[in-house]
Amino acid sequence: MNEQNITEKTKKDEVIGALLLDYAAGALESPLEILVETHISLNAASAKQLRMLMQLGGILLEECEPVSLSEGALDAVMAEIARGEVDEQTAKQDNVVAFTPSHEAKDVTVAHLPRPLADYIPDLSCDKSWRKISKGLSQCRIQFDGTDVEANIYRIAPGTSIPVHSHEGTEVTLVLSGGFTDETGAFGPGDIAIQETGATHKPVADDDGECIVFAINEGNIRLASPIGRVLSYLVN
Amino acid sequence: MENLSDMRKNSLVSGGSSAFNTYMGTGIVNDNINSRAELDELLVRVGRYKDKSAFASLFSYFAPRIKSFLLRLGTDMSTAEELAQEAMIMVWRRAETFDPAQAGASTWIFTIARNKRIDRLRKDGRPLPDMLDPAMMPDQPETGLEAVNRTQEEDKLRVAMKKLPEEQAKMIFAAYYEEKSHREISEESGLPLGTVKSRIRLALSRLRANLDEHER
């Protein structure tokens, strides 16, 4: 590994570290949160790291200086619990989205995206909104409720060279299947690539299979504390 | 609001070392709770037997901390109170799924409080993943020793946290509690952004190293 590769690897690890920290702290916009969860389902090392960060959250909770609740808070809670138990049978189950670590990336297609992404995106194989961008490259826009963040699924045919392009907003890309290589290195299933505003790159898809990626672009929208926070890692 | 402003004053970023010492190492000795194992045991009892007195003990330990945690994140007093209560209701309802081999009570309840807060903030109402689901945890329990391992892992993390140089630990605290962007941390602390970033980076890699060591 030459020096530049080491730097790129460190940078990638840092980006992931920052994303996971923000995730644990609950500071991400929902599409980015889904991206991180899907990344975790594909990457055991990140799942392990997140486990540590959640433990850290537990430790920090213990260390919080207690602030008393209002008088009668426990009684109110017990009353609510008793009320809830009456109609517990009819109440709908809390949303359960199980992560499936070490997801089989080779089985991923646009019809079968990895979870939990698949819980938000239906089978896209026959979707009408696929749009051909250039030879070997198609895009399907994904709308997430309640946010203006632009999210897309891209399909890239094996071996396709995507023309040099720049990004208007910061773009975070998660590889779902296949892989690509650009100036900053090689990306495979579960890897996350970040393109800063104005950065140009020229990705080339691996030639051994279709490459499917999930990309989130903050565009021109000013977000509360989403990608910008991660980005602050990279600036400087 | 007095409490909140006091807490802001004690903010780890602007505060001195005394603030730091206040935050580490006081978590367990008070509140008539003698050990973390006791917290786990209480939660198990709630899950298995719907034990109301165990729940009351958990409530008196965790609810004021959840409220404090939320206040630190900038939640207003009445919402923090409400969310702390809602989180504890969720603790009761989900207690059956608590598995001490997978996570300690504090981690488990932190996750619930985190999700409650996000639910409230979020307009789109995206269902949050069930991070308490055993499948979320990369290592499935196989033997009774797992709970012991898990406890050791958390204890090691606690030790590693305490060993962190204070300036690094402060940054980690700030990133969690105060949901501060690195730029904000930089502005408030007067430290150059690069310094803030390298401290968080160092702190995280030390904690990660601790985790890897645990595996060997």
Side-chain angles (χ1 to χ4, degrees):
Chain A
M1 223 194 236
N2 65 35
E3 202 170 301
Q4 197 200 334
N5 283 346
I6 291 167
T7 317
E8 292 296 347
K9 169 130 188 6
T10 312
K11 202 165 155 182
K12 280 184 202 171
D13 288 348
E14 275 169 20
V15 169
I16 307 268
L19 273 173
L20 293 174
L21 178 61
D22 283 357
Y23 180 88
L28 297 177
E29 285 270 318
S30 63
L32 198 52
E33 197 163 50
I34 296 166
L35 184 147
V36 170
E37 285 157 10
T38 309
H39 163 72
I40 288 162
S41 80
L42 294 164
N43 188 308
S46 287
K48 198 164 273 186
Q49 205 182 135
L50 181 64
R51 180 188 162 105
M52 178 193 86
L53 290 168
M54 298 308 284
Q55 285 174 345
L56 200 51
I59 293 171
L60 298 184
L61 179 63
E62 287 171 5
E63 303 295 340
C64 273
E65 202 61 43
V67 176
S68 298
L69 271 76
S70 60
E71 213 174 307
L74 177 58
D75 292 340
V77 163
M78 292 314 297
E80 182 58 35
I81 285 168
R83 213 178 359 259
E85 267 166 8
V86 178
D87 50 16
E88 204 161 73
Q89 269 73 28
T90 55
K92 73 175 173 66
Q93 186 68 22
D94 285 316
N95 298 301
V96 173
V97 180
F99 285 91
T100 46
S102 51
H103 197 96
E104 287 297 319
K106 62 175 162 48
D107 297 335
V108 171
T109 66
V110 286
H112 298 282
L113 296 172
R115 295 187 70 202
L117 189 60
D119 299 330
Y120 303 96
I121 303 179
D123 180 348
L124 293 178
S125 53
C126 304
D127 203 279
K128 301 248 183 336
S129 46
W130 282 104
R131 198 165 69 88
K132 196 171 173 188
I133 305 266
S134 59
K135 193 176 181 311
L137 173 67
S138 318
Q139 177 193 48
C140 186
R141 176 86 193 257
I142 309 296
Q143 185 62 51
F144 287 99
D145 293 344
T147 169
D148 295 325
V149 176
E150 186 181 333
N152 290 291
I153 299 278
Y154 291 98
R155 300 176 76 163
I156 313 158
T160 302
S161 272
I162 295 169
V164 179
H165 61 283
S166 70
H167 291 268
E168 248 181 52
T170 302
E171 186 158 283
V172 181
T173 303
L174 171 70
V175 180
L176 302 174
S177 80
F180 70 86
T181 304
D182 70 6
E183 296 81 348
T184 64
F187 298 86
D191 285 346
I192 292 176
I194 296 200
Q195 287 293 312
E196 291 167 50
T197 305
T200 58
H201 72 149
K202 190 178 177 302
V204 180
D206 296 353
D207 55 13
D208 57 352
E210 182 180 54
C211 176
I212 302 171
V213 305
F214 173 51
I216 291 172
N217 195 304
E218 67 174 340
N220 300 318
I221 308 147
R222 181 83 188 86
L223 297 164
S225 64
I227 303 170
R229 183 161 141 165
V230 176
L231 234 209
S232 69
Y233 251 99
L234 303 172
V235 191
N236 241 19
Chain B
M1 288 317 282
E2 206 176 303
N3 277 338
L4 183 57
S5 62
D6 280 346
M7 242 171 290
R8 288 281 173 218
K9 248 181 269 160
N10 288 335
S11 158
L12 287 154
V13 172
S14 51
S17 61
S18 60
F20 172 74
N21 291 330
T22 312
Y23 286 106
M24 283 309 285
T26 59
I28 275 297
V29 276
N30 47 6
D31 305 283
N32 303 317
I33 297 287
N34 300 311
S35 70
R36 290 182 179 87
E38 192 178 330
L39 292 174
D40 294 350
E41 177 57 33
L42 288 169
L43 189 45
V44 167
R45 263 162 46 202
V46 172
R48 277 191 203 151
Y49 313 113
K50 303 260 171 209
D51 182 333
K52 286 183 181 164
S53 89
F55 181 76
S57 303
L58 280 179
F59 188 93
S60 72
Y61 183 81
F62 281 109
R65 285 177 167 79
I66 296 170
K67 187 174 176 182
S68 169
F69 171 78
L70 294 166
L71 288 171
R72 286 195 67 90
L73 283 165
T75 311
D76 67 78
M77 192 58 91
S78 69
T79 309
E81 167 89 22
E82 214 175 293
L83 288 178
Q85 291 191 23
E86 282 179 19
M88 291 310 296
I89 291 169
M90 189 64 85
V91 167
W92 174 276
R93 292 192 176 145
R94 302 300 307 278
E96 273 173 285
T97 67
F98 172 69
D99 176 359
Q102 297 292 343
S106 301
T107 303
W108 196 82
I109 292 174
F110 164 76
T111 308
I112 285 181
R114 168 201 179 275
N115 290 0
K116 272 280 159 222
R117 176 175 158 274
I118 298 176
D119 274 342
R120 181 61 64 99
L121 287 176
R122 195 161 278 168
K123 295 182 195 86
D124 64 4
R126 156 170 128 75
L128 282 159
D130 186 3
M131 303 217 293
L132 310 174
D133 191 295
M136 171 65 185
M137 301 297 176
D139 302 309
Q140 297 296 314
E142 281 163 14
T143 68
L145 285 176
E146 289 291 322
V148 178
N149 290 342
R150 195 271 303 158
T151 308
Q152 284 173 351
E153 187 180 286
E154 284 186 11
D155 286 346
K156 279 202 170 190
L157 188 57
R158 258 182 215 99
V159 171
M161 220 19 226
K162 285 183 186 175
K163 274 195 202 152
L164 277 185
E166 188 181 325
E167 71 273 9
Q168 286 174 23
K170 276 185 187 174
M171 299 295 150
I172 295 272
F173 276 121
Y176 270 87
Y177 282 149
E178 299 168 25
E179 208 185 291
K180 291 253 190 292
S181 75
H182 302 145
R183 198 175 297 282
E184 282 173 306
I185 295 175
S186 162
E187 279 162 14
E188 284 194 16
S189 60
L191 294 166
L193 188 57
T195 310
V196 171
K197 283 189 283 181
S198 64
R199 281 182 188 174
I200 294 182
R201 199 150 55 211
L202 272 171
L204 284 179
S205 73
R206 279 190 195 207
L207 294 174
R208 264 200 301 275
N210 161 73
L211 199 69
D212 294 341
E213 204 174 288
H214 175 71
E215 259 169 33
R216 260 176 245 136

